[in-house]
Amino acid sequence: MAKKVVIVGGVAGGASCAARLRRLDEKCEIVLFEKGNYISFANCGLPYHIGGVVKERDRLLLQTPESFHTRYHVDVRINSEVVSIDRTARTVTVTDHKNKKEYNESYDYLVLSPGSTPVRPPIDGIDTEGVMTLWTVPDMDDILKRIKENEVRSAVVIGGGFIGIETAENLRRLGMDVTLVEMLDQVMAPLDFEMAQIVHSELAGNGVGLVLGDGVKRFEQASGGVCVTLASGRQLEAGIVILSIGAQPNGRLAADCGLEVNRRGGIVVDDHLRTSDDRIYAVGDAVETTDFITGERKMIPLAGPANKMGRMAADNICGMERTYVGSQGSAIIKVFDLTAACTGLNEKDLLKAGKEINKDYKVTILHQQSHAGYYPGGRAMTLKLLFSPHGRILGAQAAGYGGVDKRIDVLATAIRMGATVYDLQELDLCYAPPYSSAKDPVNMAGFSAANILSGIVDNITWREIDAAADRDFVLLDVRSRTEFDLGAIKGSVNIPVDELRGSLGALDRNKKYYVYCAAGVRAYTACRIMLQNGFSDVKNVAGGYTTWSVYSKDYTVKE
Ligand code: FAD
């Protein structure tokens, strides 16, 4: 007899699951419930319609219930909320919001892909008109309606995650005054501070007022819209407030029927994406997944994993026994002209105590051109690589104006295939001057990492230098005198690399030297000269002056 599969949630995970099921099994009965009005819409595109980048709203609606039925013969029921699950009877209870009725639907297999919900904490005045979230098509419509009807000219975005930043950028595109408020000392938590500073610089440079290290205390109605009072007492007034402070998994349905959920309400699944009931699968933002690198259980709410899990749940329902090995959190964002991307663990993750994997991790930071320097149009890129003493690649982050996506995608693939930093040296990547350099930035990261691990040169980060209790070191600047005169770090000593051999006699070989140039290449040469001339405690400062100048700057707006 043909099996019957019921799917809860009709967007990323749910729609992928339904389509794959049909392709694998022409006979099975598929019923897809979606509590909203739309299925398979491009939630990732919502900010871009607000800013007018995606001009036609309909382009975000990838499928309609009718088109999905025609192509895949799936019984799609919108405005239909699954309100409970009876695991013994294998039925779900559905509220049909349009026709105001409730009914039961049976299943052989149930797939839960209910996604997540934006967090709306019980802050004073959270329900003030004009305090909005961007999560669904109706949310987007409401935001655009308010902007139009109230002729909104200013916005406060609360939360510096992906959605907050994308929304801030798109509101700027509409010519608004935009302030972005973030409680932490940096936006984009998956990036480390010095990398996030590049994003801060881009936001500030494009007129977004950045407020860091401050949270919302209260919202109130004001003559011009909403008054936001921050924990510091600072007040911001704007025509609209977009609240974007994270999401919580929609795990209630699962928890209510006794399925195992974690402390955050995320649905616990095994590596076949089966819940604690083997007739019920769960996928997407609502599930707790495995961190591919640490093996720890984690919530990683991203579209890629949700789509792939949906497809895999279908495979497993059809008996293919596929295993989900985890997510590595590969993510990317456009911030005006800048692109920032990451994969795997960041340094903040690695600094958290108590993990075996954290022991003695290493860092390299490179500043490279997106393609050959002599070919027009090359753009700056910063690439940070984290790796273990055995050469395992633990994570990577990049920010820049060209070619960031492909470098992080190559590194994400390398991580997935278990490659080491030594392998990165050998990667045979395509090259012609308009696209890359004969030694691609990914190869360069491999060279640098391999140099560190083989003891050719060690390095140190600005964060470590800042945190050092012992200030007994010489900061040696090996840039040219002109560069030094244009701006240098207080207390540093300037000996241009080409004069270094002749000046070694004036330096105390018993001292500790942290050597920097603009990006790290001249400093590497300088370190090698010193190490081969009787100096033993010499380190190259990762990212050099370029990283320091971004790292040490304040991009926030003052009152
Ligand atoms: P969703 O796609 O959210 O689908 C869940 C659906 O289930 C919803 O439509 C909901 O109405 C429905 N539902 C919930 N409960 C029930 C119920 N009881 N009965 C019936 N239906 C129910 N990720 C990226 O990787 N890159 C991006 O650039 C990116 N940008 C984003 C931008 C925005 C504005 C948003 C909101 C998200 C973005 N994401 C992005 C995240 C990505 O969209 C999600 O990770 C992905 O959609 C999760 O898929 P899902 O199937 O788990 O949930």
Side-chain angles (χ1 to χ4, degrees), residues 40-52:
S40 199
F41 65 90
N43 17 23
C44 310
L46 300 178
Y48 298 101
H49 181 60
I50 289 182

Side-chain angles (χ1 to χ4, degrees), residues 34-107:
E34 168 52 56
K35 74 175 176 188
N37 215 5
Y38 302 94
I39 59 153
S40 199
F41 65 90
N43 17 23
C44 310
L46 300 178
Y48 298 101
H49 181 60
I50 289 182
V53 180
V54 178
K55 291 200 169 30
E56 293 159 45
R57 177 182 179 279
D58 283 357
R59 307 265 309 177
L60 300 174
L61 309 175
L62 307 176
Q63 290 279 356
T64 62
E66 296 72 33
S67 68
F68 210 61
H69 183 264
T70 307
R71 173 81 43 95
Y72 299 109
H73 200 215
V74 171
D75 178 357
V76 178
R77 303 188 201 165
I78 56 171
N79 299 305
S80 300
E81 182 173 0
V82 173
V83 290
S84 64
I85 301 167
D86 183 336
R87 289 167 52 196
T88 313
R90 288 202 194 127
T91 58
V92 294
T93 303
V94 184
T95 300
D96 175 346
H97 289 295
K98 197 166 175 201
N99 300 307
K100 311 256 176 297
K101 62 172 193 181
E102 197 161 280
Y103 62 95
N104 290 342
E105 190 74 40
S106 65
Y107 64 82

